[in-house]
Amino acid sequence: MFIVDALAMAGSMTWEILWALILGFGLSAVVQAAVRRSTVVRLLGDDSPRSLTIAAGLGAASSSCSYAAVALARALFRKGANFTAAMAFEIASTNLVVELGVILALLLGWQFTVAEFVGGPIMIVLLALLFRLFLRSRLVDKAHEQADKGLAGSMEGHAAMDMSVGGRKLLSRKGFTAVSHVFVMEWAAILRDLVIGLLIAGAVAAWVPDSFWQGFFLSDHPVLGAIWGPVVGPVVAILSFVCSIGNVPLAAVLWAGGISFGGVVAFVFADLMILPILNIYRKYYGTRMALFVFGTFFAATVGAGYLVELIFGVTGLTPTDRSARVVEAGISWNYTTWLNIVFIVLGAALVVRFFRTGGRDMLRMMGGAPDTGEHADHHHMD
């Protein structure tokens, strides 16, 4: 029965967020189809506030898959983008995307979506300051030498694909095809982490009593809990192996279990530090830079969690309701069902277009080599 309960909980979560996922990936696909990859590289030449702001904005319009974001950041770095700007782009690619905000609002409440868009820029600013203080040009040069070796990480082919057509063609047949390609490839990239995240969240919600989390997160001691949460949140994220938006269902379970508000924010933002991605950093940039990235990312994540906790506490926006909807099992005939039907039809239309215009070949290439990049421009755009 334990397994049945966990699967039932995971299924209920999936049904609750399905329409929002399709909407989020659809909006992201439209933006990515309009923004050309070459534009991104040209605008990220230094670590000035202007370049970092542009990096954050372009990252927010990019992939929500953590592995693809990491691979794309290296590709930008190899082509001439500043390392700090490339890392800012990477953070924004997973922590400032529309679909993450939609899922956070649906499962946890609008305050968490606001916290995403407040905390994400804070994390980027903190990281930039840490890089400015401690990152030496010699280490960057060594990282560049290692990056130029082109060692494979994960989702290399997906990160290398530039499926954009430019804003002017977005309403054309080629534009619709480009949107369908980005939409399905984003789903393909994120699906594994999303399924794992839902299964883990379902198992934790069904099997682990709230009393365990309340003790672990010091929820009976609000001040200590607020200090402990942003530190332990990233640790739980690192050990969970779940990244991208796949960690939101588990974040909802942790929130219901008593972790602090800032702890939830830090947990969600730690998706770029899970163990498999740390190993990819080692391959991409060398061991020393991988350790430097981990240390600075961890510090920036914890700092963002603390500052969000402080800002929301001072303004009175910290939510108090911990009955996260994600842990309420059951499917009923309500607005969620109607929205799911509408967006499933929309998603199906995009999937059909994808497979009618060379999509199978793209799926086969999504795990390809880092240097196969621009080969993925559309050959079947009509």
Side-chain angles (χ1 to χ4, degrees):
M1 286 298 293
F2 283 152
I3 295 177
V4 173
D5 290 342
L7 290 175
M9 197 72 73
S12 178
M13 295 176 195
T14 303
W15 186 251
E16 186 72 21
I17 66 175
L18 182 58
W19 70 268
L21 284 171
I22 298 173
L23 171 62
F25 281 117
L27 293 174
S28 176
V30 170
V31 174
Q32 290 188 63
V35 180
R36 293 193 179 279
R37 185 71 52 78
S38 57
T39 303
V40 178
V41 178
R42 180 167 48 83
L43 295 173
L44 304 186
D46 55 45
D47 63 350
S48 67
R50 178 179 179 274
S51 292
L52 295 180
T53 300
I54 293 172
L58 293 174
S62 185
S63 170
S64 63
C65 170
S66 299
Y67 290 101
V70 171
L72 179 53
R74 179 181 66 165
L76 296 175
F77 179 51
R78 292 179 67 189
K79 292 178 181 179
N82 176 270
F83 187 76
T84 303
M87 293 298 103
F89 178 91
E90 176 183 304
I91 292 171
S93 293
T94 64
N95 293 324
L96 288 175
V97 291
V98 172
E99 49 267 43
L100 175 62
V102 173
I103 300 303
L104 284 169
L106 189 63
L107 298 186
L108 285 163
W110 62 268
Q111 296 97 327
F112 290 88
T113 302
V114 176
E116 174 202 355
F117 291 107
V118 171
I122 288 175
M123 182 179 173
I124 290 173
V125 169
L126 292 176
L127 188 75
L129 291 174
L130 289 170
F131 277 22
R132 182 65 66 90
L133 289 172
F134 301 111
L135 183 58
R136 299 292 177 260
S137 58
R138 183 184 304 174
L139 185 56
V140 176
D141 292 340
K142 289 287 186 182
H144 214 298
E145 291 177 10
Q146 180 69 20
D148 284 338
K149 293 179 182 178
L151 298 182
S154 181
M155 292 294 171
E156 300 285 358
H158 176 57
M161 295 178 187
D162 187 353
M163 295 171 276
S164 62
V165 294
R168 294 181 180 179
K169 297 181 179 179
L170 203 57
L171 298 179
S172 66
R173 289 168 59 87
K174 287 186 177 180
F176 179 55
T177 299
V179 170
S180 74
H181 285 190
V182 177
F183 177 81
V184 177
M185 293 299 291
E186 287 293 287
W187 268 100
I190 201 71
L191 192 58
R192 178 188 62 183
D193 286 300
L194 184 59
V195 171
I196 293 174
L198 286 164
L199 289 175
I200 290 176
V204 170
W207 300 345
V208 181
D210 286 346
S211 58
F212 169 81
W213 293 119
Q214 289 165 1
F216 183 70
F217 294 130
L218 307 177
S219 59
D220 291 336
H221 307 278
V223 175
L224 291 178
I227 296 172
W228 176 239
V231 175
V232 76
V235 174
V236 175
I238 291 168
L239 297 177
S240 73
F241 280 72
V242 181
C243 59
S244 308
I245 59 175
N247 63 9
V248 177
L250 182 55
V253 174
L254 298 180
W255 172 247
I259 193 173
S260 68
F261 184 65
V264 173
V265 172
F267 172 84
V268 172
F269 285 173
D271 63 317
L272 292 168
M273 294 185 290
I274 65 171
L275 294 176
I277 286 181
L278 292 178
N279 186 49
I280 291 174
Y281 289 144
R282 181 187 61 80
K283 292 180 181 179
Y284 282 0
Y285 307 120
T287 302
R288 287 186 61 194
M289 181 61 90
L291 292 173
F292 180 84
V293 167
F294 170 69
T296 51
F297 270 43
F298 192 93
T301 301
V302 173
Y306 282 140
L307 288 173
V308 167
E309 183 84 50
L310 179 63
I311 292 169
F312 277 65
V314 169
T315 56
L317 292 177
T318 304
T320 56
D321 182 13
R322 291 187 176 270
S323 57
R325 283 159 282 180
V326 71
V327 299
E328 297 174 3
I331 297 175
S332 57
W333 193 263
N334 53 21
Y335 80 95
T336 299
T337 301
W338 285 110
L339 287 171
N340 279 339
I341 291 172
V342 171
F343 281 97
I344 286 172
V345 171
L346 173 61
L350 291 170
V351 170
V352 169
R353 182 67 174 176
F354 174 81
F355 282 106
R356 286 182 174 178
T357 53
R360 282 189 181 85
D361 292 337
M362 295 178 66
L363 287 174
R364 283 193 287 267
M365 290 188 295
M366 70 181 299
D371 296 313
T372 56
E374 319 302 326
H375 72 328
D377 293 338
H378 295 84
H379 302 294
H380 306 280
M381 293 291 286
D382 296 324

